[in-house]
Amino acid sequence: MAIAVLDALDNARTQWYHVTAIVIAGMGFFTDAYDLFCISAVSKLLGRLYYFDPTSPKPGKLPKDVNNLVTGVALVGTLSGQLVFGWLGDKLGRKKVYGITLIMMVICAICSGLSFGASAKGVMGTLCFFRFWLGFGIGGDYPLSATIMSEYANKTTRGAFIAAVFAMQGVGIIFAGLVSMILSKIFLHFNDAHPYKYDDFSPVFSTQPAGDYMWRIVLMLGALPAILTYYWRMKMPETGRYTALIEGNAKQAAVDMGRVLEIEIQDEQDKLSQFKATNNYTLLSQEFWTRHGLHLLGTTTTWFLLDIAFYSQNLTQKDIFPAMKLIKEAPDMNALREVFETSRAMFIIALFGTFPGYWFTVIFIEKIGRFKIQLMGFLMMSIFMLIIGVKYAYLKEKEHAKLFGLLYGLTFFFANFGPNSTTFVLPAELFPTRVRSTCHAISAASGKAGAIVAAFGVQNYTLDGDTNKIRKTMFFLAATNILGFLFTFCLTETKGRSLEEISGEDGGDKGKGYQTEAADSADVTAGAVSMTRQASRRSDA
């Protein structure tokens, strides 16, 4: 059943409003990534500042439970925010909820840098409190940005546009390292000190008091990009699909999208009423689970498994950098020097490993397809992590540092030219309009559950730099990637089709939404397709 406003969106030529939408939604993800990953650059500095032990031969270090809370509490907030704001996005509208998430991110990023207390526990406690609520705001950005972009985009470039929004995460990770590197270098210039291990001076002098200002500035700068995009977010109209298919206001949808696309669109209220009547099922209905249960299983499991590996890499890289010889051992540096070298290593890995992968996905997603990119990414990540695990002792030798860096960078590359991008894209395309934001939120929250496993579980095995523990960690992560590869067969290819065709909302043969390259290429998926078609025909009958 063709509705004019949906056809206009699906077949619109790529124009300026698409670029604007990518930038506005993408800056949210830039902020998200910066806020989530900048903590890795300064967490060792927090240990030196607040947990100094004069009797220890090594600098102060965050206790394991405190380190896990500081680096992981924002992920707990993100999971909670995804579920709450994703549900609200379907109930109240994408635009109404979009601004709230941004305001929370701005306020909590600033408050994180103002964390206070008369003791180390007090400072860490307030820091964790504000980072939880920072993560809560960040969580809302996932389902809302993905849903808004998918509902604005045309069907031929939709995947590339959604991937481009998510690719701003890579830019945010780069800036997390770059900003920390620049600020630590400036502070180091004016507050240089001897290394922790230096015979003629007490080790306490290796930790510059000015470092307490530096880490706060790094965290507070995360508010800046969110502030800059708030006005433009509020200027965006509600998506035509939400206005038409959920609110049932065909006239307003035609007016809003006609203004955006600079064309005249018929409202077709009668067609819209019929459309809504034939697609009036909820998330908990039997019809939803018959049509999309396998899809939801696929999006939740693959995102969960991917984030165990992806966040384990990002949160633990500071502990692996010394083995890669990208930074010196902690006793051989002062506090600000350690931040500088850690940030520089983060920046290098992100620039040459993480960042290119995102944009390879943007370029090739409409040519190769989501399904094949996700399979390839999981498989390659597993291979490179397995190699690192088997050869870890060999790779950490000084003469093999470049090879180690290359292999480690390739795991990031194929995470992003692979499942880290496609797990974000697919939930924004597979599900019906009325539950699209909620289903994306459930999928994303499953991913953050995986990230929490990484922060509170996997990270414990790398903090000490123990070779055997790190090897076992790499084997475990390789296994999770293989599982992600297998669960990808629950999903289907979505490229080149309208959202309504994919979800079966268009009133045609609901089974055709399951005809995919994935189904043609895999017996497992073909069996699932056949069962779903039969269930859909019974429903039609």
Side-chain angles (χ1 to χ4, degrees):
M1 183 192 305
I3 297 176
V5 68
L6 304 185
D7 278 349
L9 287 165
D10 284 334
N11 297 299
R13 61 182 175 82
T14 301
Q15 55 198 82
W16 183 246
Y17 94 90
H18 288 116
V19 177
T20 304
I22 290 170
V23 172
I24 294 170
M27 284 307 291
F29 266 90
F30 173 94
T31 306
D32 297 350
Y34 180 92
D35 288 335
L36 287 176
F37 295 114
C38 68
I39 195 69
S40 294
V42 299
S43 60
K44 287 196 171 184
L45 174 61
L46 295 175
R48 289 192 185 232
L49 285 168
Y50 295 104
Y51 291 88
F52 171 72
D53 180 0
T55 64
S56 174
K58 295 183 178 181
K61 191 174 185 179
L62 292 176
K64 283 187 178 180
D65 56 342
V66 177
N67 179 81
N68 292 346
L69 274 173
V70 168
T71 58
V73 71
L75 301 174
V76 179
T78 302
L79 186 155
S80 307
Q82 285 166 336
L83 293 174
V84 171
F85 286 120
W87 176 75
L88 288 175
D90 283 332
K91 295 299 179 185
L92 303 179
R94 289 57 159 133
K95 179 183 175 180
K96 289 179 182 177
V97 184
Y98 211 25
I100 299 172
T101 64
L102 212 59
I103 292 171
M104 285 193 70
M105 288 158 62
V106 169
I107 294 173
C108 294
I110 294 171
C111 290
S112 295
L114 297 176
S115 298
F116 53 87
S119 64
K121 285 186 177 180
V123 176
M124 295 301 111
T126 52
L127 175 61
C128 288
F129 174 81
F130 289 123
R131 281 191 63 79
F132 172 85
W133 290 107
L134 171 66
F136 196 83
I138 288 171
D141 229 43
Y142 276 72
L144 293 170
S145 291
T147 301
I148 286 172
M149 197 65 246
S150 70
E151 293 180 352
Y152 263 107
N154 61 55
K155 64 183 179 181
T156 58
T157 57
R158 185 181 58 241
F161 288 168
I162 302 172
V165 169
F166 194 63
M168 291 300 290
Q169 185 183 77
V171 183
I173 295 172
I174 285 177
F175 269 79
L178 181 63
V179 169
S180 302
M181 181 172 65
I182 292 172
L183 282 174
S184 58
K185 187 66 174 178
I186 293 170
F187 273 78
L188 188 60
H189 178 76
F190 293 102
N191 301 274
D192 204 358
H194 290 291
Y196 184 88
K197 189 171 65 177
Y198 196 79
D199 294 337
D200 297 332
F201 289 88
S202 169
V204 70
F205 295 116
S206 72
T207 302
Q208 301 93 323
D212 198 45
Y213 294 101
M214 197 222 71
W215 73 263
R216 296 174 185 275
I217 294 171
V218 168
L219 298 190
M220 287 192 285
L221 283 175
L224 187 59
I227 292 172
L228 294 176
T229 56
Y230 179 78
Y231 171 78
W232 296 107
R233 279 199 181 191
M234 294 301 96
K235 290 269 287 182
M236 291 178 73
E238 182 57 86
T239 71
R241 281 184 164 88
Y242 184 88
T243 304
L245 304 184
I246 299 181
E247 293 183 340
N249 192 339
K251 183 177 180 180
Q252 188 62 51
V255 170
D256 288 344
M257 295 304 99
R259 186 169 61 249
V260 167
L261 298 174
E262 299 178 348
I263 59 174
E264 188 173 331
I265 304 174
Q266 291 181 310
D267 57 48
E268 299 182 321
Q269 187 67 50
D270 291 340
K271 278 189 176 182
L272 180 61
S273 299
Q274 186 181 350
F275 185 100
K276 283 173 63 65
T278 57
N279 290 285
N280 192 25
Y281 58 89
T282 65
L283 179 67
L284 299 179
S285 67
Q286 180 62 41
E287 187 167 4
F288 173 85
W289 291 99
T290 299
R291 295 190 189 190
H292 300 291
L294 195 63
H295 290 162
L296 192 57
L297 173 65
T299 58
T300 52
T301 52
T302 54
W303 207 334
F304 172 78
L305 293 163
L306 176 275
D307 272 10
I308 291 177
F310 184 71
Y311 280 86
S312 293
Q313 286 175 287
N314 278 285
L315 294 176
T316 63
Q317 59 183 324
K318 64 185 184 301
D319 306 309
I320 296 176
F321 285 155
M324 295 170 64
K325 305 300 184 287
L326 284 176
I327 67 174
K328 300 175 184 175
E329 296 293 336
D332 298 326
M333 298 180 282
N334 62 49
L336 289 174
R337 171 62 63 178
E338 185 174 38
V339 176
F340 173 76
E341 294 204 5
T342 301
S343 303
R344 182 177 61 186
M346 282 178 60
F347 175 75
I348 292 170
I349 292 292
L351 184 63
F352 295 106
T354 304
F355 180 74
Y358 285 101
W359 293 100
F360 266 65
T361 301
V362 174
I363 293 168
F364 292 109
I365 193 166
E366 298 297 354
K367 298 174 183 176
I368 300 175
R370 293 79 159 138
F371 182 84
K372 290 179 181 176
I373 288 176
Q374 185 158 309
L375 283 178
M376 174 192 68
F378 269 129
L379 182 61
M380 297 306 291
M381 287 172 68
S382 188
I383 290 171
F384 288 120
M385 287 181 172
L386 188 61
I387 292 171
I388 291 172
V390 171
K391 293 292 186 180
Y392 186 77
Y394 171 83
L395 292 169
K396 67 181 293 188
E397 294 174 7
K398 188 174 182 179
E399 59 267 28
H400 305 133
K402 289 183 179 179
L403 178 59
F404 195 169
L406 174 63
L407 291 171
Y408 195 64
L410 284 170
T411 65
F412 282 98
F413 176 80
F414 282 105
N416 297 307
F417 184 34
N420 192 41
S421 297
T422 53
T423 52
F424 179 79
V425 174
L426 283 165
E429 299 181 311
L430 286 167
F431 303 105
T433 306
R434 76 184 54 76
V435 292
R436 182 169 293 126
S437 179
T438 303
C439 288
H440 195 285
I442 293 169
S443 305
S446 179
K448 282 300 165 286
I452 291 168
V453 170
F456 292 93
V458 177
Q459 191 174 199
N460 286 329
Y461 288 87
T462 64
L463 290 172
D464 298 330
D466 183 271
T467 297
N468 287 330
K469 287 182 178 179
I470 293 177
R471 288 182 72 245
K472 289 177 182 177
T473 299
M474 287 297 171
F475 293 146
F476 170 74
L477 296 180
T480 63
N481 290 324
I482 287 295
L483 285 175
F485 177 91
L486 296 175
F487 275 104
T488 297
F489 287 97
C490 294
L491 301 171
T492 63
E493 186 55 74
T494 57
K495 70 174 182 177
R497 294 183 289 150
S498 73
L499 295 175
E500 289 69 40
E501 182 184 357
I502 295 165
S503 65
E505 291 176 283
D506 62 355
D509 177 11
K510 296 178 182 65
K512 74 181 178 183
Y514 294 85
Q515 282 183 324
T516 63
E517 293 177 12
D520 294 335
S521 63
D523 290 339
V524 175
T525 309
V529 172
S530 176
M531 291 171 60
T532 308
R533 283 175 174 164
Q534 292 170 15
S536 296
R537 290 189 186 112
R538 288 196 297 271
S539 174
D540 288 343

